[in-house]
Amino acid sequence: MLLRDIAHTRTGDKGNRSTLSVIAYDKKDFALLEKTLTPERVQQHYAGIVHGQVERYSLPQLGALNFVMHQALGGGVTRSLALDAHGKCLSAKLLSLVIE
């Protein structure tokens, strides 16, 4: 199954960091998200895009994980040459992740 089958995302960006929250549609799926979406797996999923550390914060009361991805926006939104590799595009890419 794809991540989009059990969760949705919200994003933001500031400077050269992107923040991405993954929220389970049903809190019973939160444990699977927490097990599957490690900082290492998210870093690997964004290979070539995120060049810095990926930090993960767990929000079990919300059924959500929040990721802070450093050096992810080509120097920052206003400096990047990418058409739109920010916010919503990054979250759409994560939703295509295969969950086993």
Side-chain angles (χ1 to χ4, degrees):
M1 95 179 101
L2 297 176
L3 179 59
R4 76 182 70 224
D5 296 330
I6 62 169
H8 63 101
T9 57
R10 299 290 295 164
T11 61
D13 45 63
K14 192 69 162 176
N16 198 18
R17 281 186 307 272
S18 182
T19 59
L20 196 153
S21 295
V22 178
I23 306 110
Y25 290 126
D26 188 325
K27 284 191 182 179
K28 70 175 177 56
D29 292 322
F30 177 71
L32 178 60
L33 293 178
E34 197 167 39
K35 178 183 172 187
T36 305
L37 295 178
T38 63
E40 296 78 20
R41 180 130 189 235
V42 171
Q43 174 79 46
Q44 181 183 23
H45 191 68
Y46 289 108
I49 298 171
V50 175
H51 301 285
Q53 179 184 6
V54 174
E55 299 172 286
R56 183 182 86 171
Y57 298 92
S58 183
L59 304 159
Q61 69 279 18
L62 300 176
L65 298 171
N66 186 57
F67 294 91
V68 179
M69 302 182 294
H70 298 271
Q71 298 177 10
L73 301 174
V77 173
T78 58
R79 295 179 58 196
S80 176
L81 297 177
L83 288 176
D84 189 13
H86 323 298
K88 291 180 180 133
C89 288
L90 291 175
S91 68
K93 179 172 175 52
L94 190 60
L95 288 172
S96 69
L97 186 76
V98 174
I99 303 291
E100 299 173 16

